[in-house]
């Protein structure tokens, strides 16, 4: 059962990272809006599905240490490299200034929604880091699932209090003025989806045809209503664009279940298996795809399809021929291994 489960999880991560790359290729088509309805909740739900609770403070310390080495080491590596590229580019163009450099450094330190461009996807790593630690704390100090679920729902409500009540009270379009490092406030919503993946493990492991087909039908209905201008819905975790208390749960959950159901079916097809390598290398693709296209697009223009191909191919080639071939630098790009005597496993999406 475990082998089959791993297969469809890799298919799910493969589809998820395809959608992430394509979603950054353009802001035009409605398909981009539809992708944003569920693609990041999908990754957090998968993280929750893989989550293993800690049972003691010592295990929590090791959990945080391992997360730091697996997530934050590559985060810092790519952050520094891409920042050096940006600075070098500005120097060559003669647009560098002390003021711009100072603002850039401050933005990089705050992270989250304050960093864009080639760093545009970095918010996910720090948000996932905070979310996993927060959920580990909840699981450590509250043993009953009903209590854990209640706390997760409370986080969901607080997240919406910020976007529905607090931000409009301060003023429109002020999310970038709320200087919360690493998108920690977004973790309040992310933990809802991560918790869902954790609490619904048995359900997710084998989604019935009735539920799967129903969710696919509902997903088509949502998109049809949007195209007919009968549904006005948008979702962006990074930029705090979640202000519908009911739909922010219903639509992402429905569409994620539909995708996971399809992934479980696709995982049984032999020709799909070689493609799951993209799912296994989803973090490498996530880090590099925007940067690769930012560099290549300076030489010629191209559309969403080629953007997606480049965004998938270049990271995979970089991983195989540069990162994997240099053992001394490899840990800084894929994360450091941390071991302990006790057999404690930490898994991330």
């Amino acid at each position: 059962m475990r082998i089959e489960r791993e297969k469809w999880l890799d298919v799910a991560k493969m589809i998820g990272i395809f959608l992430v790359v394509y979603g950054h290729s353009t802001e035009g088509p409605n398909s981009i809006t539809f992708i944003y309805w569920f693609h990041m909740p999908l990754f957090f739900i998968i993280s929750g599905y893989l989550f293993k609770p800690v049972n003691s403070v010592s295990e929590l310390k090791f959990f945080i240490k391992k997360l730091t080495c697996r997530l934050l080491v590559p985060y810092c590596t790519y952050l520094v490299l891409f920042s050096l590229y940006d600075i070098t580019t500005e120097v060559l163009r003669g647009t560098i200034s002390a003021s711009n450099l100072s603002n850039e450094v401050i933005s990089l330190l705050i992270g989250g929604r304050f960093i864009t461009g080639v760093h545009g996807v970095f918010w996910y790593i720090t948000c996932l880091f905070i979310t996993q630690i927060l959920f580990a704390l909840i699981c450590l100090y509250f043993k009953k699932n009903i209590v854990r679920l209640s706390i997760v729902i409370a986080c969901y409500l607080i997240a919406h209090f910020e976007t529905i009540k607090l931000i409009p009270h301060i003023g429109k379009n002020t999310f970038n003025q709320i200087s919360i490092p690493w998108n920690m406030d977004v973790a309040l919503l992310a933990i809802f989806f991560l918790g869902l993946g954790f609490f619904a493990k048995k359900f997710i492991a084998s989604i019935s045809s009735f539920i799967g087909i129903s969710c696919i039908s509902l997903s088509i209905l949502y998109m049809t209503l949007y195209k007919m201008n009968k549904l006005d819905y948008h979702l962006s975790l990074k930029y705090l664009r979640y202000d519908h208390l009911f739909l922010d749960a219903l639509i992402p959950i429905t569409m994620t279940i539909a995708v996971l159901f399809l992934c479980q079916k696709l995982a049984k097809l032999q020709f799909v298996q070689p493609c799951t390598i993209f799912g296994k290398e989803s973090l490498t693709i996530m880090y590099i795809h925007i940067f690769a296209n930012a560099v290549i697009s300076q030489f010629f223009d191209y559309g969403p399809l080629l953007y997606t191909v480049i965004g998938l191919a270049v990271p995979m080639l970089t991983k195989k021929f540069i990162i994997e071939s240099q053992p001394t630098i490899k840990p800084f790009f894929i994360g450091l291994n941390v071991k302990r005597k006790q057999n404690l496993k930490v898994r991330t999406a």
Side-chain angles (χ1 to χ4, degrees):
M1 180 66 184
R2 176 171 177 163
I3 294 176
E4 289 186 2
R5 182 163 63 237
E6 293 293 348
K7 285 182 179 179
W8 68 257
L9 282 171
D10 285 333
V11 174
K13 289 189 281 186
M14 174 191 73
I15 291 176
I17 199 63
F18 281 6
L19 295 175
V20 167
V21 176
Y22 178 75
H24 290 141
S25 66
T26 177
E27 297 180 356
N30 286 331
S31 59
I32 304 300
T33 298
F34 301 150
I35 288 170
Y36 274 72
W37 284 359
F38 72 92
H39 75 319
M40 296 318 300
L42 169 67
F43 278 108
F44 284 111
I45 287 174
I46 292 174
S47 294
Y49 182 85
L50 295 172
F51 186 86
K52 305 293 183 182
V54 296
N55 298 308
S56 66
V57 174
S58 62
E59 286 187 0
L60 176 65
K61 290 179 179 178
F62 179 72
F63 178 86
I64 295 173
K65 180 179 180 180
K66 194 164 187 178
L67 271 184
T68 301
C69 293
R70 288 288 179 86
L71 294 179
L72 296 191
V73 169
Y75 173 89
C76 292
T77 300
Y78 283 109
L79 192 74
V80 170
L81 287 177
F82 293 169
S83 297
L84 289 175
Y85 170 82
D86 280 345
I87 293 172
T88 302
T89 301
E90 289 188 23
V91 169
L92 293 175
R93 292 175 178 172
T95 58
I96 191 72
S97 69
S99 176
N100 289 341
L101 186 59
S102 175
N103 291 335
E104 180 70 13
V105 171
I106 292 173
S107 295
L108 292 174
L109 291 175
I110 298 174
R113 53 188 170 270
F114 288 84
I115 50 178
T116 57
V118 294
H119 305 104
V121 293
F122 282 47
W123 73 272
Y124 169 72
I125 297 299
T126 52
C127 185
L128 177 64
F129 178 77
I130 298 299
T131 303
Q132 292 227 34
I133 292 175
L134 180 59
F135 194 68
L137 286 167
I138 293 172
C139 289
L140 175 61
Y141 291 106
F142 302 94
K143 300 302 182 182
K144 294 183 178 180
N145 276 344
I146 186 63
V147 178
R148 295 169 174 174
L149 180 60
S150 299
I151 296 173
V152 166
I153 292 174
C155 290
Y156 179 85
L157 296 175
I158 294 171
H160 281 82
F161 173 80
E162 179 186 19
T163 57
I164 296 174
K165 295 294 185 181
L166 183 60
I167 290 179
H169 177 74
I170 297 174
K172 293 183 177 180
N173 301 321
T174 56
F175 58 84
N176 274 341
Q177 297 175 22
I178 303 176
S179 301
I180 298 179
W182 287 10
N183 268 19
M184 289 183 182
D185 48 349
V186 179
L188 293 170
L189 181 65
I191 199 172
F192 173 77
F193 295 113
L194 187 143
L196 178 68
F198 176 78
F199 296 124
K201 281 185 180 182
K202 290 184 179 180
F203 168 79
I204 292 173
S206 182
I207 300 170
S208 68
S209 295
F210 175 77
I211 296 295
I213 294 172
S214 297
C215 288
I216 291 172
S217 300
L218 285 172
S219 300
I220 294 172
L221 176 62
Y222 302 150
M223 292 184 283
T224 302
L225 290 173
Y226 182 87
K227 292 280 287 185
M228 296 171 62
N229 294 319
K230 300 294 184 181
L231 175 65
D232 183 16
Y233 179 70
H234 299 272
L235 181 69
S236 174
L237 271 65
K238 177 180 179 179
Y239 292 113
L240 305 182
R241 196 172 186 184
Y242 39 88
D243 53 11
H244 198 294
L245 195 59
F246 178 63
L247 293 182
D248 289 338
L250 178 65
I251 292 179
I253 290 172
T254 304
M255 298 185 76
T256 296
I257 293 173
V259 170
L260 293 178
F261 171 74
L262 291 173
C263 290
Q264 291 172 2
K265 300 303 179 184
L266 289 171
K268 298 176 182 179
L269 303 176
Q270 290 298 320
F271 72 87
V272 174
Q273 292 309 312
C275 301
T276 58
I277 185 65
F278 292 101
K280 295 173 183 176
E281 302 297 343
S282 58
L283 285 181
T284 299
I285 295 171
M286 184 210 71
Y287 276 119
I288 299 177
H289 76 276
I290 294 180
F291 176 78
N293 277 286
V295 174
I296 295 173
S297 63
Q298 295 182 46
F299 301 97
F300 60 96
D301 296 327
Y302 48 87
L305 179 59
L306 188 53
Y307 181 101
T308 304
V309 172
I310 291 171
L312 295 171
V314 172
M316 296 296 290
L317 294 172
T318 302
K319 175 73 181 296
K320 181 174 179 60
F321 294 108
I322 299 179
I323 297 174
E324 293 284 356
S325 65
Q326 301 294 327
T328 54
I329 68 169
K330 180 180 175 181
F332 295 99
F333 288 92
I334 67 171
L336 302 174
N337 286 321
V338 180
K339 297 180 181 180
R340 60 175 297 177
K341 294 181 180 180
Q342 290 81 0
N343 186 27
L344 176 66
K345 296 182 179 180
V346 178
R347 303 176 69 183
T348 60

PDB file of all heavy atoms in Angstrom, residues 149-177:
ATOM      1  N   LEU A 149      -8.111  19.871  15.746  1.00  0.00           N
ATOM      2  CA  LEU A 149      -8.939  20.371  14.655  1.00  0.00           C
ATOM      3  C   LEU A 149      -9.559  21.715  15.011  1.00  0.00           C
ATOM      4  O   LEU A 149      -9.638  22.619  14.171  1.00  0.00           O
ATOM      5  CB  LEU A 149     -10.034  19.356  14.325  1.00  0.00           C
ATOM      6  CG  LEU A 149     -11.005  19.733  13.195  1.00  0.00           C
ATOM      7  CD1 LEU A 149     -10.241  19.951  11.885  1.00  0.00           C
ATOM      8  CD2 LEU A 149     -12.064  18.652  13.026  1.00  0.00           C
ATOM      9  N   SER A 150      -9.985  21.845  16.259  1.00  0.00           N
ATOM     10  CA  SER A 150     -10.579  23.116  16.706  1.00  0.00           C
ATOM     11  C   SER A 150      -9.569  24.260  16.616  1.00  0.00           C
ATOM     12  O   SER A 150      -9.914  25.376  16.205  1.00  0.00           O
ATOM     13  CB  SER A 150     -11.087  22.978  18.150  1.00  0.00           C
ATOM     14  OG  SER A 150     -12.081  21.983  18.233  1.00  0.00           O
ATOM     15  N   ILE A 151      -8.322  23.978  16.976  1.00  0.00           N
ATOM     16  CA  ILE A 151      -7.270  25.007  16.906  1.00  0.00           C
ATOM     17  C   ILE A 151      -6.996  25.382  15.454  1.00  0.00           C
ATOM     18  O   ILE A 151      -6.831  26.564  15.118  1.00  0.00           O
ATOM     19  CB  ILE A 151      -5.987  24.509  17.595  1.00  0.00           C
ATOM     20  CG1 ILE A 151      -6.225  24.292  19.084  1.00  0.00           C
ATOM     21  CG2 ILE A 151      -4.841  25.499  17.375  1.00  0.00           C
ATOM     22  CD1 ILE A 151      -5.070  23.643  19.813  1.00  0.00           C
ATOM     23  N   VAL A 152      -6.960  24.383  14.580  1.00  0.00           N
ATOM     24  CA  VAL A 152      -6.726  24.630  13.157  1.00  0.00           C
ATOM     25  C   VAL A 152      -7.842  25.486  12.561  1.00  0.00           C
ATOM     26  O   VAL A 152      -7.589  26.418  11.792  1.00  0.00           O
ATOM     27  CB  VAL A 152      -6.597  23.286  12.395  1.00  0.00           C
ATOM     28  CG1 VAL A 152      -6.694  23.498  10.902  1.00  0.00           C
ATOM     29  CG2 VAL A 152      -5.281  22.607  12.752  1.00  0.00           C
ATOM     30  N   ILE A 153      -9.075  25.183  12.924  1.00  0.00           N
ATOM     31  CA  ILE A 153     -10.216  25.976  12.444  1.00  0.00           C
ATOM     32  C   ILE A 153     -10.140  27.400  12.988  1.00  0.00           C
ATOM     33  O   ILE A 153     -10.446  28.367  12.282  1.00  0.00           O
ATOM     34  CB  ILE A 153     -11.550  25.308  12.847  1.00  0.00           C
ATOM     35  CG1 ILE A 153     -11.719  23.990  12.082  1.00  0.00           C
ATOM     36  CG2 ILE A 153     -12.729  26.231  12.567  1.00  0.00           C
ATOM     37  CD1 ILE A 153     -12.921  23.183  12.508  1.00  0.00           C
ATOM     38  N   ALA A 154      -9.707  27.530  14.250  1.00  0.00           N
ATOM     39  CA  ALA A 154      -9.543  28.861  14.841  1.00  0.00           C
ATOM     40  C   ALA A 154      -8.497  29.666  14.062  1.00  0.00           C
ATOM     41  O   ALA A 154      -8.672  30.868  13.821  1.00  0.00           O
ATOM     42  CB  ALA A 154      -9.141  28.736  16.302  1.00  0.00           C
ATOM     43  N   CYS A 155      -7.416  28.997  13.641  1.00  0.00           N
ATOM     44  CA  CYS A 155      -6.389  29.668  12.830  1.00  0.00           C
ATOM     45  C   CYS A 155      -6.975  30.147  11.505  1.00  0.00           C
ATOM     46  O   CYS A 155      -6.675  31.249  11.034  1.00  0.00           O
ATOM     47  CB  CYS A 155      -5.221  28.723  12.570  1.00  0.00           C
ATOM     48  SG  CYS A 155      -4.214  28.356  14.029  1.00  0.00           S
ATOM     49  N   TYR A 156      -7.810  29.321  10.911  1.00  0.00           N
ATOM     50  CA  TYR A 156      -8.481  29.679   9.654  1.00  0.00           C
ATOM     51  C   TYR A 156      -9.330  30.932   9.840  1.00  0.00           C
ATOM     52  O   TYR A 156      -9.317  31.847   8.994  1.00  0.00           O
ATOM     53  CB  TYR A 156      -9.349  28.506   9.203  1.00  0.00           C
ATOM     54  CG  TYR A 156     -10.129  28.727   7.926  1.00  0.00           C
ATOM     55  CD1 TYR A 156      -9.544  28.488   6.687  1.00  0.00           C
ATOM     56  CD2 TYR A 156     -11.455  29.152   7.963  1.00  0.00           C
ATOM     57  CE1 TYR A 156     -10.261  28.669   5.512  1.00  0.00           C
ATOM     58  CE2 TYR A 156     -12.181  29.341   6.791  1.00  0.00           C
ATOM     59  CZ  TYR A 156     -11.581  29.092   5.575  1.00  0.00           C
ATOM     60  OH  TYR A 156     -12.298  29.280   4.415  1.00  0.00           O
ATOM     61  N   LEU A 157     -10.042  30.997  10.947  1.00  0.00           N
ATOM     62  CA  LEU A 157     -10.907  32.155  11.227  1.00  0.00           C
ATOM     63  C   LEU A 157     -10.069  33.411  11.489  1.00  0.00           C
ATOM     64  O   LEU A 157     -10.419  34.503  11.027  1.00  0.00           O
ATOM     65  CB  LEU A 157     -11.813  31.855  12.424  1.00  0.00           C
ATOM     66  CG  LEU A 157     -12.829  30.720  12.228  1.00  0.00           C
ATOM     67  CD1 LEU A 157     -13.570  30.444  13.539  1.00  0.00           C
ATOM     68  CD2 LEU A 157     -13.816  31.065  11.113  1.00  0.00           C
ATOM     69  N   ILE A 158      -8.967  33.261  12.209  1.00  0.00           N
ATOM     70  CA  ILE A 158      -8.090  34.409  12.481  1.00  0.00           C
ATOM     71  C   ILE A 158      -7.479  34.927  11.177  1.00  0.00           C
ATOM     72  O   ILE A 158      -7.368  36.144  10.969  1.00  0.00           O
ATOM     73  CB  ILE A 158      -6.986  34.016  13.478  1.00  0.00           C
ATOM     74  CG1 ILE A 158      -7.593  33.687  14.842  1.00  0.00           C
ATOM     75  CG2 ILE A 158      -5.962  35.146  13.617  1.00  0.00           C
ATOM     76  CD1 ILE A 158      -6.601  33.075  15.827  1.00  0.00           C
ATOM     77  N   ALA A 159      -7.080  34.003  10.294  1.00  0.00           N
ATOM     78  CA  ALA A 159      -6.512  34.391   8.997  1.00  0.00           C
ATOM     79  C   ALA A 159      -7.515  35.241   8.222  1.00  0.00           C
ATOM     80  O   ALA A 159      -7.142  36.236   7.580  1.00  0.00           O
ATOM     81  CB  ALA A 159      -6.138  33.154   8.190  1.00  0.00           C
ATOM     82  N   HIS A 160      -8.769  34.878   8.278  1.00  0.00           N
ATOM     83  CA  HIS A 160      -9.799  35.634   7.556  1.00  0.00           C
ATOM     84  C   HIS A 160     -10.183  36.927   8.275  1.00  0.00           C
ATOM     85  O   HIS A 160     -10.627  37.878   7.627  1.00  0.00           O
ATOM     86  CB  HIS A 160     -11.029  34.761   7.322  1.00  0.00           C
ATOM     87  CG  HIS A 160     -10.853  33.807   6.183  1.00  0.00           C
ATOM     88  ND1 HIS A 160     -10.188  32.606   6.321  1.00  0.00           N
ATOM     89  CD2 HIS A 160     -11.218  33.887   4.874  1.00  0.00           C
ATOM     90  CE1 HIS A 160     -10.165  31.989   5.155  1.00  0.00           C
ATOM     91  NE2 HIS A 160     -10.767  32.740   4.264  1.00  0.00           N
ATOM     92  N   PHE A 161      -9.986  36.950   9.578  1.00  0.00           N
ATOM     93  CA  PHE A 161     -10.192  38.216  10.288  1.00  0.00           C
ATOM     94  C   PHE A 161      -9.193  39.252   9.786  1.00  0.00           C
ATOM     95  O   PHE A 161      -9.539  40.428   9.594  1.00  0.00           O
ATOM     96  CB  PHE A 161     -10.020  38.012  11.802  1.00  0.00           C
ATOM     97  CG  PHE A 161     -10.060  39.295  12.578  1.00  0.00           C
ATOM     98  CD1 PHE A 161     -11.280  39.899  12.883  1.00  0.00           C
ATOM     99  CD2 PHE A 161      -8.888  39.912  12.993  1.00  0.00           C
ATOM    100  CE1 PHE A 161     -11.319  41.094  13.586  1.00  0.00           C
ATOM    101  CE2 PHE A 161      -8.926  41.106  13.696  1.00  0.00           C
ATOM    102  CZ  PHE A 161     -10.144  41.694  14.001  1.00  0.00           C
ATOM    103  N   GLU A 162      -7.962  38.803   9.542  1.00  0.00           N
ATOM    104  CA  GLU A 162      -6.941  39.722   9.023  1.00  0.00           C
ATOM    105  C   GLU A 162      -7.320  40.262   7.653  1.00  0.00           C
ATOM    106  O   GLU A 162      -7.223  41.472   7.398  1.00  0.00           O
ATOM    107  CB  GLU A 162      -5.589  39.014   8.930  1.00  0.00           C
ATOM    108  CG  GLU A 162      -4.483  39.905   8.375  1.00  0.00           C
ATOM    109  CD  GLU A 162      -3.177  39.167   8.147  1.00  0.00           C
ATOM    110  OE1 GLU A 162      -3.189  37.925   8.069  1.00  0.00           O
ATOM    111  OE2 GLU A 162      -2.131  39.844   8.033  1.00  0.00           O
ATOM    112  N   THR A 163      -7.769  39.382   6.756  1.00  0.00           N
ATOM    113  CA  THR A 163      -8.040  39.811   5.378  1.00  0.00           C
ATOM    114  C   THR A 163      -9.405  40.473   5.202  1.00  0.00           C
ATOM    115  O   THR A 163      -9.558  41.346   4.361  1.00  0.00           O
ATOM    116  CB  THR A 163      -7.949  38.609   4.425  1.00  0.00           C
ATOM    117  OG1 THR A 163      -8.864  37.587   4.848  1.00  0.00           O
ATOM    118  CG2 THR A 163      -6.547  38.036   4.409  1.00  0.00           C
ATOM    119  N   ILE A 164     -10.394  40.052   5.981  1.00  0.00           N
ATOM    120  CA  ILE A 164     -11.755  40.587   5.815  1.00  0.00           C
ATOM    121  C   ILE A 164     -11.991  41.833   6.657  1.00  0.00           C
ATOM    122  O   ILE A 164     -12.659  42.776   6.225  1.00  0.00           O
ATOM    123  CB  ILE A 164     -12.802  39.506   6.166  1.00  0.00           C
ATOM    124  CG1 ILE A 164     -12.702  38.326   5.191  1.00  0.00           C
ATOM    125  CG2 ILE A 164     -14.221  40.084   6.136  1.00  0.00           C
ATOM    126  CD1 ILE A 164     -13.600  37.153   5.554  1.00  0.00           C
ATOM    127  N   LYS A 165     -11.403  41.865   7.858  1.00  0.00           N
ATOM    128  CA  LYS A 165     -11.664  42.978   8.778  1.00  0.00           C
ATOM    129  C   LYS A 165     -10.471  43.918   8.938  1.00  0.00           C
ATOM    130  O   LYS A 165     -10.606  45.136   8.816  1.00  0.00           O
ATOM    131  CB  LYS A 165     -12.065  42.425  10.153  1.00  0.00           C
ATOM    132  CG  LYS A 165     -13.376  41.657  10.165  1.00  0.00           C
ATOM    133  CD  LYS A 165     -14.561  42.574   9.858  1.00  0.00           C
ATOM    134  CE  LYS A 165     -15.886  41.806   9.988  1.00  0.00           C
ATOM    135  NZ  LYS A 165     -17.045  42.677   9.674  1.00  0.00           N
ATOM    136  N   LEU A 166      -9.298  43.346   9.210  1.00  0.00           N
ATOM    137  CA  LEU A 166      -8.142  44.181   9.560  1.00  0.00           C
ATOM    138  C   LEU A 166      -7.617  44.984   8.381  1.00  0.00           C
ATOM    139  O   LEU A 166      -7.457  46.204   8.471  1.00  0.00           O
ATOM    140  CB  LEU A 166      -7.035  43.300  10.143  1.00  0.00           C
ATOM    141  CG  LEU A 166      -5.776  44.033  10.636  1.00  0.00           C
ATOM    142  CD1 LEU A 166      -6.144  45.022  11.727  1.00  0.00           C
ATOM    143  CD2 LEU A 166      -4.742  43.029  11.150  1.00  0.00           C
ATOM    144  N   ILE A 167      -7.340  44.307   7.260  1.00  0.00           N
ATOM    145  CA  ILE A 167      -6.773  45.005   6.104  1.00  0.00           C
ATOM    146  C   ILE A 167      -7.712  46.076   5.557  1.00  0.00           C
ATOM    147  O   ILE A 167      -7.280  47.207   5.309  1.00  0.00           O
ATOM    148  CB  ILE A 167      -6.360  43.997   5.009  1.00  0.00           C
ATOM    149  CG1 ILE A 167      -5.149  43.192   5.486  1.00  0.00           C
ATOM    150  CG2 ILE A 167      -6.042  44.702   3.695  1.00  0.00           C
ATOM    151  CD1 ILE A 167      -4.675  42.154   4.519  1.00  0.00           C
ATOM    152  N   PRO A 168      -9.014  45.804   5.357  1.00  0.00           N
ATOM    153  CA  PRO A 168      -9.920  46.873   4.900  1.00  0.00           C
ATOM    154  C   PRO A 168     -10.004  48.031   5.886  1.00  0.00           C
ATOM    155  O   PRO A 168     -10.187  49.183   5.484  1.00  0.00           O
ATOM    156  CB  PRO A 168     -11.270  46.156   4.780  1.00  0.00           C
ATOM    157  CG  PRO A 168     -10.919  44.725   4.548  1.00  0.00           C
ATOM    158  CD  PRO A 168      -9.692  44.502   5.379  1.00  0.00           C
ATOM    159  N   HIS A 169      -9.858  47.732   7.185  1.00  0.00           N
ATOM    160  CA  HIS A 169      -9.905  48.799   8.187  1.00  0.00           C
ATOM    161  C   HIS A 169      -8.687  49.707   8.069  1.00  0.00           C
ATOM    162  O   HIS A 169      -8.787  50.934   8.211  1.00  0.00           O
ATOM    163  CB  HIS A 169      -9.964  48.188   9.589  1.00  0.00           C
ATOM    164  CG  HIS A 169      -9.949  49.209  10.687  1.00  0.00           C
ATOM    165  ND1 HIS A 169     -11.038  50.004  10.983  1.00  0.00           N
ATOM    166  CD2 HIS A 169      -8.969  49.590  11.560  1.00  0.00           C
ATOM    167  CE1 HIS A 169     -10.744  50.807  11.988  1.00  0.00           C
ATOM    168  NE2 HIS A 169      -9.488  50.586  12.350  1.00  0.00           N
ATOM    169  N   ILE A 170      -7.532  49.104   7.797  1.00  0.00           N
ATOM    170  CA  ILE A 170      -6.306  49.888   7.641  1.00  0.00           C
ATOM    171  C   ILE A 170      -6.342  50.681   6.340  1.00  0.00           C
ATOM    172  O   ILE A 170      -5.931  51.828   6.270  1.00  0.00           O
ATOM    173  CB  ILE A 170      -5.072  48.966   7.662  1.00  0.00           C
ATOM    174  CG1 ILE A 170      -4.980  48.264   9.017  1.00  0.00           C
ATOM    175  CG2 ILE A 170      -3.799  49.753   7.383  1.00  0.00           C
ATOM    176  CD1 ILE A 170      -3.885  47.220   9.073  1.00  0.00           C
ATOM    177  N   GLY A 171      -6.843  50.032   5.287  1.00  0.00           N
ATOM    178  CA  GLY A 171      -6.903  50.667   3.971  1.00  0.00           C
ATOM    179  C   GLY A 171      -6.696  49.650   2.886  1.00  0.00           C
ATOM    180  O   GLY A 171      -6.039  48.631   3.089  1.00  0.00           O
ATOM    181  N   LYS A 172      -7.245  49.890   1.720  1.00  0.00           N
ATOM    182  CA  LYS A 172      -7.140  48.936   0.623  1.00  0.00           C
ATOM    183  C   LYS A 172      -5.693  48.795   0.150  1.00  0.00           C
ATOM    184  O   LYS A 172      -4.921  49.736   0.178  1.00  0.00           O
ATOM    185  CB  LYS A 172      -8.021  49.377  -0.553  1.00  0.00           C
ATOM    186  CG  LYS A 172      -9.512  49.318  -0.252  1.00  0.00           C
ATOM    187  CD  LYS A 172     -10.327  49.699  -1.483  1.00  0.00           C
ATOM    188  CE  LYS A 172     -11.824  49.577  -1.194  1.00  0.00           C
ATOM    189  NZ  LYS A 172     -12.642  49.940  -2.382  1.00  0.00           N
ATOM    190  N   ASN A 173      -5.398  47.589  -0.312  1.00  0.00           N
ATOM    191  CA  ASN A 173      -4.090  47.284  -0.910  1.00  0.00           C
ATOM    192  C   ASN A 173      -2.928  47.584   0.029  1.00  0.00           C
ATOM    193  O   ASN A 173      -1.888  48.085  -0.387  1.00  0.00           O
ATOM    194  CB  ASN A 173      -3.903  48.053  -2.227  1.00  0.00           C
ATOM    195  CG  ASN A 173      -4.977  47.712  -3.244  1.00  0.00           C
ATOM    196  OD1 ASN A 173      -5.377  46.561  -3.367  1.00  0.00           O
ATOM    197  ND2 ASN A 173      -5.446  48.716  -3.955  1.00  0.00           N
ATOM    198  N   THR A 174      -3.119  47.287   1.300  1.00  0.00           N
ATOM    199  CA  THR A 174      -2.051  47.575   2.267  1.00  0.00           C
ATOM    200  C   THR A 174      -1.372  46.313   2.773  1.00  0.00           C
ATOM    201  O   THR A 174      -0.639  46.356   3.744  1.00  0.00           O
ATOM    202  CB  THR A 174      -2.610  48.341   3.486  1.00  0.00           C
ATOM    203  OG1 THR A 174      -3.684  47.570   4.062  1.00  0.00           O
ATOM    204  CG2 THR A 174      -3.112  49.701   3.098  1.00  0.00           C
ATOM    205  N   PHE A 175      -1.604  45.163   2.108  1.00  0.00           N
ATOM    206  CA  PHE A 175      -0.995  43.928   2.599  1.00  0.00           C
ATOM    207  C   PHE A 175       0.515  44.020   2.625  1.00  0.00           C
ATOM    208  O   PHE A 175       1.170  43.433   3.480  1.00  0.00           O
ATOM    209  CB  PHE A 175      -1.455  42.723   1.761  1.00  0.00           C
ATOM    210  CG  PHE A 175      -1.136  42.830   0.294  1.00  0.00           C
ATOM    211  CD1 PHE A 175       0.101  42.458  -0.183  1.00  0.00           C
ATOM    212  CD2 PHE A 175      -2.089  43.297  -0.601  1.00  0.00           C
ATOM    213  CE1 PHE A 175       0.397  42.543  -1.530  1.00  0.00           C
ATOM    214  CE2 PHE A 175      -1.795  43.379  -1.957  1.00  0.00           C
ATOM    215  CZ  PHE A 175      -0.555  43.011  -2.424  1.00  0.00           C
ATOM    216  N   ASN A 176       1.114  44.791   1.676  1.00  0.00           N
ATOM    217  CA  ASN A 176       2.564  44.935   1.647  1.00  0.00           C
ATOM    218  C   ASN A 176       3.074  45.915   2.690  1.00  0.00           C
ATOM    219  O   ASN A 176       4.278  46.112   2.828  1.00  0.00           O
ATOM    220  CB  ASN A 176       3.033  45.378   0.260  1.00  0.00           C
ATOM    221  CG  ASN A 176       3.238  44.188  -0.670  1.00  0.00           C
ATOM    222  OD1 ASN A 176       3.364  43.064  -0.213  1.00  0.00           O
ATOM    223  ND2 ASN A 176       3.254  44.427  -1.958  1.00  0.00           N
ATOM    224  N   GLN A 177       2.149  46.554   3.401  1.00  0.00           N
ATOM    225  CA  GLN A 177       2.560  47.461   4.469  1.00  0.00           C
ATOM    226  C   GLN A 177       2.516  46.768   5.832  1.00  0.00           C
ATOM    227  O   GLN A 177       2.921  47.340   6.828  1.00  0.00           O
ATOM    228  CB  GLN A 177       1.656  48.699   4.476  1.00  0.00           C
ATOM    229  CG  GLN A 177       1.755  49.531   3.196  1.00  0.00           C
ATOM    230  CD  GLN A 177       0.771  50.683   3.176  1.00  0.00           C
ATOM    231  OE1 GLN A 177       0.300  51.124   4.215  1.00  0.00           O
ATOM    232  NE2 GLN A 177       0.458  51.182   1.997  1.00  0.00           N
TER     233      GLN A 177
END
